[in-house]
Amino acid sequence: MDLNDIWQEHKTWIIGCFAGLVAFLVGNAVVSSRYDTSGLESRISSARSRLMKTKWYGRAEGSAARADQEALDVELAKVEAKAYFRMRPDYDLAGKDGPTLHYLRQTSAVRKSVIDAMDGADVDFAARQLGLPVNSPVDRQETQLHLVGLDLIEDALTRLLVTSERVREQEPEAVGLRSIEKISIQVRKRKRPSGTGFARRRKQTVDLGQRVGVSIRFRVDGTTLERFLEAMTGGDRALLLEDIDARTIPGEPLDVRCKFLALLKPEAAS
């Protein structure tokens, strides 16, 4: 079959292909001329080169930035010293063998000490378990976190009882601390980041470390409560108060619910 026969038989298809090629070339030329980005790319490249060569900050600015960083580090250390909970040695499992045995000894000793103090002050102490779980924790980290809660509870109750005794010494007619109704410990599990990529970055929050919460419900007069709140900021460490609810009952002491918070640095919670 020669070319003339091919042309005669397929000329419609050949003409269509040629017309399509011409249309594509014309369209590509029109689009390229209208939406040509080569000029923009050249301008962006030139601007990037100028920025990279420009010296924005000198030695003076660098020294000032380092000085600011050092000052901020000092302030951050001060805030951390006040905000993070510092365990007392008897409540810290670090360096101790047999965490379960130490937990049992410490909780027993603290429970006896607190109960004796409350009974001696004629306080109606209904929370004799001190918010501790019925079954002793087995996991070392969980054991440590409950000891942190116990440390916070013992400290708060001691300050509350001492405040009550001082108020009653100064004001014999004052009620002081009437009763401890309920105590609970909340070990809050740290949340793992969810999602991936951009969604995770948008939801990311500052990790302040492990949190242990303690709730104490008690009945007390207004003066003792006021001075107890002042006492939480004194001593070797401050106690963080997350929430407080004080309700008045006619003819009765205030019904107070306090939520305390212990923040632990990551190395202290392990």
Side-chain angles (χ1 to χ4, degrees):
M1 182 177 293
D2 58 16
L3 294 179
N4 184 57
D5 293 335
I6 295 175
W7 168 254
Q8 292 298 328
E9 184 175 353
H10 302 289
K11 61 181 178 180
T12 302
W13 180 80
I14 294 173
I15 292 173
C17 291
F18 180 75
L21 177 62
V22 171
F24 171 77
L25 294 175
V26 172
N28 183 62
V30 172
V31 171
S32 297
S33 63
R34 179 170 295 184
Y35 301 103
D36 183 21
T37 61
S38 59
L40 293 176
E41 291 174 356
S42 177
R43 291 168 58 187
I44 292 172
S45 178
S46 299
R48 184 183 295 111
S49 299
R50 287 196 301 271
L51 288 173
M52 294 179 67
K53 294 178 181 178
T54 301
K55 188 176 182 180
W56 295 99
Y57 302 103
R59 292 184 177 179
E61 290 79 7
S63 298
R66 284 189 291 272
D68 289 343
Q69 180 64 53
E70 292 174 359
L72 289 173
D73 288 341
V74 171
E75 292 301 318
L76 178 60
K78 292 179 181 178
V79 172
E80 288 184 347
K82 293 181 179 180
Y84 281 111
F85 189 79
R86 291 179 289 109
M87 288 178 284
R88 291 176 285 185
D90 288 343
Y91 298 87
D92 191 354
L93 289 179
K96 295 182 176 65
D97 297 328
T100 300
L101 183 59
H102 179 77
Y103 172 88
L104 293 174
R105 285 199 302 260
Q106 184 65 15
T107 54
S108 178
V110 171
R111 189 183 297 114
K112 183 180 184 306
S113 174
V114 172
I115 290 176
D116 289 346
M118 291 294 173
D119 290 345
D122 197 25
V123 175
D124 183 8
F125 192 54
R128 295 181 174 249
Q129 188 62 24
L130 299 181
L132 295 168
V134 177
N135 297 320
S136 301
V138 177
D139 179 73
R140 183 183 180 89
Q141 184 181 24
E142 186 180 358
T143 302
Q144 179 63 86
L145 295 178
H146 279 92
L147 283 175
V148 168
L150 182 64
D151 188 1
L152 178 54
I153 288 168
E154 196 276 338
D155 195 350
L157 292 181
T158 298
R159 298 189 196 203
L160 180 57
L161 191 55
V162 169
T163 301
S164 173
E165 291 174 349
R166 289 176 179 174
V167 169
R168 295 183 67 180
E169 287 176 359
Q170 297 171 1
E171 304 176 20
E173 300 299 324
V175 174
L177 177 62
R178 171 69 63 82
S179 64
I180 303 292
E181 306 287 335
K182 185 178 180 181
I183 300 174
S184 63
I185 300 175
Q186 303 92 38
V187 176
R188 307 181 184 184
K189 296 181 179 179
R190 300 174 71 179
K191 296 181 179 180
R192 295 182 178 179
S194 59
T196 57
F198 180 70
R200 175 179 293 184
R201 290 194 295 271
R202 288 189 61 188
K203 296 179 180 179
Q204 187 174 5
T205 57
V206 177
D207 183 9
L208 296 178
Q210 180 69 55
R211 300 158 63 94
V212 177
V214 166
S215 297
I216 304 177
R217 181 181 178 183
F218 54 94
R219 293 186 179 275
V220 71
D221 66 73
T223 302
T224 302
L225 176 60
E226 180 181 355
R227 296 187 184 178
F228 169 60
L229 296 177
E230 295 173 355
M232 288 193 303
T233 61
D236 295 335
R237 61 181 180 182
L239 301 184
L240 296 183
L241 183 64
E242 185 176 21
D243 190 22
I244 182 171
D245 180 19
R247 302 183 183 185
T248 58
I249 302 175
E252 293 290 336
L254 294 172
D255 182 7
V256 183
R257 296 172 175 83
C258 285
K259 286 186 178 181
F260 298 94
L261 179 64
L263 286 176
L264 302 176
K265 286 186 176 181
E267 61 271 17
S270 57

